[in-house]
Amino acid sequence: MEYAKTIAGLFAMLLLGPALATDSDPLQDFCVADLDGKAVSVNGHPCKPMSEAGDDFLFSSKLAKAGNTSTPNGSAVTELDVVEWPGTNTLGVSMNRVDFAPGGTNPPHIHPRATEIGIVMKGELLVGVLGSLDSGNKLYSRMVRAGETFLIPRGLMHFQFNVGKTDASMVVSFNSQNPGIVFVPLTLFGSNPPIPTPVLTKALRVEAGVVELLKSKFSAGF
């Protein structure tokens, strides 16, 4: 009997797992995230009582201002996920603004929980998307100019690079309130604790000195 229950439980996990691992459909008009709430939360945040939510949770001006591009990457990401905009809680949407200095890049990265669609607001960007092994690791890339759009399927590595001589900017939307981000260089060489050097020397087919040099570049993050 216990064995049968265990098997039934495993089947239930397999059937329900995909549904529980995506942004759920809302069951009410609004569920403003209670970011300080102590209630148990699964794939989201508990809702504030509407009496405490105020009346401006549907609006945000955060993306109106350009970010500071004086960074090692020459770019600045302004996030507007559920933490920055609690009104998006349970709605399965969020946005980012990315500003680029000339020659600036939004380095290769992955959003593990969302598909991305974006529009270039100013300038000209080289947008690249890397397919998986199934597509032969093919690089799909194009120069995307102001007013043009691009699409990044969920989980695929991608990047943007300002090829122009002037500042550039883009705004992107995600089908998740918390799309997440994995910056490939930072993940490989700035993880905590660090990935053992022998693992990286074997994987990257380089000498240990090269790996240690790259680790030193990312020891303080981005």
Side-chain angles (χ1 to χ4, degrees), residues 2 4 11 20 25 52 84 97 122 155 175 187 196-197 200 203 220:
E2 283 301 316
F11 273 113
L20 296 176
D25 290 331
E52 300 175 12
E84 301 296 336
R97 170 177 176 157
K122 179 173 66 174
N175 65 335
T187 300
T197 295
L200 293 174

Side-chain angles (χ1 to χ4, degrees), residues 113-159:
R113 294 185 289 274
T115 289
E116 171 182 345
I117 188 168
I119 181 169
V120 175
M121 305 299 294
K122 179 173 66 174
E124 183 179 18
L125 297 173
L126 171 64
V127 177
V129 184
L130 291 142
S132 65
L133 278 174
D134 293 340
S135 63
N137 284 335
K138 183 175 180 178
L139 170 63
Y140 301 84
S141 65
R142 179 171 294 185
M143 299 296 184
V144 184
R145 298 171 176 82
E148 297 179 340
T149 55
F150 58 89
L151 178 67
I152 313 290
R154 173 181 173 178
L156 292 188
M157 190 184 307
H158 57 284
F159 62 86

Side-chain angles (χ1 to χ4, degrees), residues 31-53:
C31 177
V32 181
D34 184 358
L35 301 179
D36 298 320
K38 305 302 181 184
V40 175
S41 63
V42 178
N43 276 0
H45 297 274
C47 305
K48 279 186 176 181
M50 288 307 297
S51 59
E52 300 175 12

Side-chain angles (χ1 to χ4, degrees), residues 60-66 78-80 95-97 171-172:
S60 173
S61 59
K62 187 170 183 182
L63 299 190
K65 183 179 179 181
T78 304
E79 296 180 315
L80 199 57
M95 301 178 74
N96 281 356
R97 170 177 176 157
V171 173
V172 299

Side-chain angles (χ1 to χ4, degrees), residues 141-208:
S141 65
R142 179 171 294 185
M143 299 296 184
V144 184
R145 298 171 176 82
E148 297 179 340
T149 55
F150 58 89
L151 178 67
I152 313 290
R154 173 181 173 178
L156 292 188
M157 190 184 307
H158 57 284
F159 62 86
Q160 295 91 15
F161 178 71
N162 183 3
V163 298
K165 297 181 179 179
T166 60
D167 292 344
S169 66
M170 68 179 193
V171 173
V172 299
S173 297
F174 303 98
N175 65 335
S176 171
Q177 67 187 37
N178 185 23
I181 188 165
V182 178
F183 279 115
V184 177
L186 181 62
T187 300
L188 289 176
F189 304 110
S191 66
N192 182 25
I195 298 175
T197 295
V199 173
L200 293 174
T201 59
K202 183 67 72 172
L204 301 176
R205 304 172 190 177
V206 297
E207 301 299 321

Side-chain angles (χ1 to χ4, degrees), residues 74-98:
S75 65
V77 179
T78 304
E79 296 180 315
L80 199 57
D81 58 15
V82 67
V83 174
E84 301 296 336
W85 196 1
T88 64
N89 194 39
T90 76
L91 299 183
V93 293
S94 59
M95 301 178 74
N96 281 356
R97 170 177 176 157
V98 188

